Amino acid sequence: MAAGNKHVSEALEHAKEAVSHGKQGHADALAKHAETALKHVEMARKEIKGTPHIEESMKKLEDAVLQAKAGRADKGTAAAEEAVMRLSEAK
């Protein structure tokens, strides 16, 4: 179960930071926080098997990183917001 998993909590915090920076148009900071969140999601995935919310949040964070690195803070923010929603459901 994902509830109480420290990596899920850390991923959620960094994903929220990514959204915050993305809304300010800071694509570089969005990418940094989304990458950190992604690392925590990957660690959580190893500890928690078969959780669809974790899998979906990984996809959204990967998209957020790609969009942010391409300078598209708006699209990166939207993907990060989806990740926050999925991580909140996993928590």
Side-chain angles (χ1 to χ4, degrees):
M1 184 106 208
N5 183 283
K6 69 177 184 163
H7 293 298
V8 173
S9 296
E10 287 290 325
L12 183 56
E13 288 305 310
H14 282 283
K16 287 178 179 178
E17 283 293 318
V19 170
S20 177
H21 284 287
K23 286 182 176 181
Q24 297 173 48
H26 304 155
D28 55 340
L30 188 164
K32 179 183 157 212
H33 282 287
E35 285 175 327
T36 302
L38 186 56
K39 288 177 186 173
H40 282 287
V41 170
E42 288 168 348
M43 288 185 270
R45 183 182 183 205
K46 291 177 184 176
E47 295 174 7
I48 309 164
K49 306 281 188 226
T51 305
H53 298 302
I54 297 293
E55 298 299 323
E56 191 61 30
S57 67
M58 281 184 71
K59 292 175 190 170
K60 297 300 180 183
L61 288 167
E62 288 168 350
D63 187 38
V65 171
L66 289 173
Q67 296 293 342
K69 286 188 174 184
R72 295 186 291 266
D74 56 339
K75 292 183 187 286
T77 301
E81 286 174 328
E82 286 281 329
V84 166
M85 187 173 69
R86 298 293 179 232
L87 287 166
S88 295
E89 292 168 349
K91 195 168 181 209

